[in-house]
Amino acid sequence: MNLAKPCIDVGLYCREREAVMDFWQTSVGLGFEGLLKLGGGAQQWRHEMHGSILKLNHRLEPLPDAPPAGYDGLIVTDETVDEPVTMLDPEGNRVTLVQPGFEGIDQIAIEMAVSNVDEHRAFMRRVLGCQQVSERHMKWGETSFFLSTATGPARAKGTALAAPGFRYVTVQVWDVDLEHETALRGGADEGMAPTTLGETARISFIKDPDDNWIEISQRASLTGSLPA
């Protein structure tokens, strides 16, 4: 993919917004970037992570109980820690703070529990254009992904997008329609066809082999005017 930004964003849905947001700002030390109103009582509280964005999503309608997605944890570089520090936010989402350069992490890393590491690694290379660093370490732009084999009962297909926890990642591209179609031809499943959100962005969703959601975004603030 032709990236408009080399850092991948992370989408997190929560129920207790104030408690969760306080944790990420105070305990993790993320800076608040801004509020994006999504309509229908949904809001996105955006936090900066070394070029990536943690998109903390909250909505008035209660979130359903749902099995976790494959996005299993987040690693954020922090020059103030001497050794890895792992914490859980108020809703049980795992984050680990590490020194920059730890295990080759330049800014953030996303931990993924997948059903088949070999299959997922091949998908990330073929469809997303990721680079392989090691058997379990992939890089998409500057953002690292660490793959491990999921344990416990197999996750059912049809992973919910709007449910508690880390639910999706977002890549910023120059041409969402082109990248969406190319991803489908490469073997990705379609989650949502491209659609324009006012003058802010044009977005789509694809799914990986485990049905995890990946948002493809053409954001006007990065790429200029959007297609009609």
Side-chain angles (χ1 to χ4, degrees):
M1 289 190 178
N2 187 11
L3 306 188
K5 185 181 80 167
C7 304
I8 306 303
D9 303 329
V10 180
L12 169 66
Y13 277 87
C14 68
R15 288 173 167 143
E16 302 296 330
R17 180 188 60 78
E18 291 187 5
V20 172
M21 188 160 65
D22 179 70
F23 170 86
W24 287 95
Q25 292 182 2
T26 303
S27 299
V28 183
L30 302 187
F32 177 58
E33 184 197 63
L35 170 64
L36 179 62
K37 295 184 178 180
L38 303 176
Q43 296 178 327
Q44 185 178 100
W45 302 75
R46 299 166 63 86
H47 294 76
E48 205 280 328
M49 299 188 296
H50 309 303
S52 293
I53 299 294
L54 177 67
K55 303 196 286 189
L56 202 163
N57 297 286
H58 181 266
R59 63 183 193 178
L60 295 179
E61 181 182 351
L63 292 174
D65 293 326
Y71 302 114
D72 205 36
L74 188 59
I75 302 173
V76 181
T77 57
D78 185 337
E79 294 181 350
T80 69
V81 300
D82 296 322
E83 58 185 23
V85 176
T86 298
M87 301 174 285
L88 299 177
D89 77 8
E91 296 189 359
N93 302 298
R94 186 178 72 249
V95 58
T96 302
L97 304 181
V98 299
Q99 273 280 333
F102 177 83
E103 294 193 2
I105 302 170
D106 298 321
Q107 43 110 227
I108 71 166
I110 298 159
E111 297 178 284
M112 293 196 70
V114 301
S115 58
N116 186 308
V117 171
D118 290 339
E119 180 183 9
H120 211 92
R121 192 169 53 228
F123 172 86
M124 295 185 75
R125 288 196 306 260
R126 182 184 70 252
V127 177
L128 307 182
C130 298
Q131 295 182 331
Q132 182 174 339
V133 179
S134 68
E135 184 176 356
R136 60 183 295 263
H137 184 183
M138 306 292 291
K139 272 203 170 178
W140 199 2
E142 296 176 6
T143 300
S144 293
F145 287 73
F146 286 93
L147 309 179
S148 62
T149 303
T151 59
R155 291 186 174 94
K157 290 289 186 177
T159 305
L161 175 61
F166 299 117
R167 305 310 298 193
Y168 65 99
V169 297
T170 302
V171 59
Q172 298 291 342
V173 301
W174 291 98
D175 186 334
V176 68
D177 294 87
L178 172 64
E179 302 296 357
H180 183 87
E181 180 60 32
T182 301
L184 297 186
R185 290 201 306 269
D189 292 328
E190 185 171 61
M192 186 186 79
T195 185
T196 300
L197 306 177
E199 298 180 355
T200 301
R202 183 167 173 80
I203 68 167
S204 72
F205 281 93
I206 60 172
K207 293 184 179 183
D208 71 16
D210 282 347
D211 248 13
N212 296 306
W213 294 78
I214 301 167
E215 181 185 23
I216 306 174
S217 172
Q218 181 180 342
R219 193 169 179 83
S221 61
L222 294 172
T223 66
S225 59
L226 302 174

